[in-house]
Amino acid sequence: QLKTNKMSKYNGTFVKEDDNWSLVIDYTYYWDNGDYMQPPEAELTINSVDLDGNDITKFYFDNYIDELYDEELMDYAVENKPHY
């Protein structure tokens, strides 16, 4: 578990769309760029998940659907984080 209270953070939204559906994931990304004594750290927390405007957050976690988009979501969060 990271010490997220001392890390930089931002809230973001990841959207995955297909012809028949739209998945919207709101998340919080925490990071510490590290230094010469401490390596960089990062953590992503999913706040909510909507499918076509319906809240499916509990379903998303209960059925391991989160594993389908883990890597893609983390890559998106890292690419879109503020640089400060």
Side-chain angles (χ1 to χ4, degrees):
Q1 183 71 8
L2 300 177
K3 297 176 183 168
T4 54
N5 59 334
K6 295 184 178 185
M7 300 175 82
S8 299
K9 76 173 188 174
Y10 84 97
N11 295 316
T13 302
F14 171 80
V15 178
K16 184 79 174 176
E17 294 181 314
D18 192 276
D19 291 339
N20 300 312
W21 52 265
S22 177
L23 183 71
V24 178
I25 302 173
D26 287 318
Y27 63 87
T28 303
Y29 180 74
Y30 302 89
W31 79 97
D32 182 337
N33 292 326
D35 58 28
Y36 65 94
M37 295 292 288
Q38 190 70 20
E41 297 179 277
E43 182 175 294
L44 187 135
T45 302
I46 294 175
N47 302 318
S48 66
V49 182
D50 287 355
L51 178 63
D52 294 330
N54 299 299
D55 183 355
I56 64 161
T57 306
K58 183 174 176 0
F59 179 82
Y60 187 80
F61 288 113
D62 288 352
N63 294 282
Y64 305 106
I65 296 171
D66 57 314
E67 293 176 5
L68 294 174
Y69 298 111
D70 273 353
E71 187 174 335
E72 188 174 357
L73 178 56
M74 182 59 95
D75 289 346
Y76 178 86
V78 170
E79 290 172 11
N80 290 282
K81 77 175 183 175
H83 296 281
Y84 50 81

